């Protein structure tokens, strides 16, 4: 099928990104990473990093190990419904791949149900696509690839 390079991040759905980041960073000694509003997904996200002093200016967050992504709705009705039904908790696991477009084509050809049939721009300038949880045992998986000149790898 496809080749996964690594786990890029594990995402937690939260109502308040900043309050959750402060709580979890303090509890686990995690460093604050990038925070941003992802307009295309209508979410506010923040990353927490293990074993580092945080994302310095110019540092590519998430390049050394998996990070924790805190994902809060900022107009995203699907994420709001998730929180209303389940409360805060595990939302998805993201795998980094070399060639996202090829990975999606391979999965589609194998009959895997996709939420995104083409990559879209996500947090940190990465290209992302989600697989439907019905195809993966009930777990929402995201695939990502670092942006390369504005085009998915």
């Amino acid at each position: 099928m496809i080749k996964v390079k690594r786990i890029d991040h594990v995402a937690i759905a939260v109502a308040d990104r900043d309050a959750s980041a402060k709580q979890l960073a303090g509890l686990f000694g995690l460093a604050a990473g990038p925070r941003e509003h992802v307009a295309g997904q209508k979410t506010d996200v923040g990353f927490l990093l293990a074993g580092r002093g945080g994302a310095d200016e110019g540092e590519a967050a998430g390049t050394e190990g998996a990070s924790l992504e805190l994902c809060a709705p900022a107009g995203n009705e699907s994420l709001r419904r998730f929180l209303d039904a389940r409360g805060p908790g595990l939302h998805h696991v993201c795998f980094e791949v070399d060639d996202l477009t090829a990975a999606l084509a391979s999965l589609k050809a194998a009959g895997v149900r996709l939420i995104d049939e083409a990559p879209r721009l996500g947090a940190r300038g990465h290209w992302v696509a989600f697989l439907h949880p019905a195809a993966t045992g009930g777990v929402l998986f995201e695939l990502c690839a670092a942006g390369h000149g504005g085009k998915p790898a």
Side-chain angles (χ1 to χ4, degrees):
M1 296 286 309
I2 67 171
K3 180 166 173 45
V4 170
K5 289 175 62 175
R6 67 186 185 101
I7 295 175
D8 183 77
H9 66 268
V10 174
I12 307 296
V14 299
D16 184 324
R17 171 195 64 192
D18 296 334
S20 296
K22 183 177 180 183
Q23 176 193 23
L24 293 173
L27 184 63
F28 297 114
L30 301 171
R35 293 177 36 218
E36 65 183 283
H37 173 74
V38 184
Q41 294 180 16
K42 298 180 182 174
T43 58
D44 289 328
V45 301
F47 290 86
L48 295 175
L49 314 170
R52 292 188 275 162
D56 295 330
E57 195 169 318
E59 177 186 358
T63 58
E64 293 179 4
S67 56
L68 187 63
E69 177 186 37
L70 303 176
C71 205
N76 183 312
E77 289 306 313
S78 176
L79 186 56
R80 170 60 50 210
R81 284 191 305 273
F82 178 96
L83 284 166
D84 289 346
R86 297 178 181 94
L90 179 65
H91 187 259
H92 67 268
V93 176
C94 179
F95 291 134
E96 182 182 358
V97 297
D98 278 323
D99 187 334
L100 183 53
T101 302
L104 291 171
S106 176
L107 291 167
K108 185 175 181 178
V112 174
R113 188 172 168 191
L114 306 174
I115 293 174
D116 299 302
E117 293 196 12
R120 59 186 162 119
L121 198 55
R124 299 175 294 164
H126 290 176
W127 290 94
V128 302
F130 286 88
L131 311 181
H132 198 283
T136 56
V139 177
L140 180 62
F141 282 95
E142 177 184 25
L143 302 179
C144 77
H148 298 285
K151 297 182 182 178

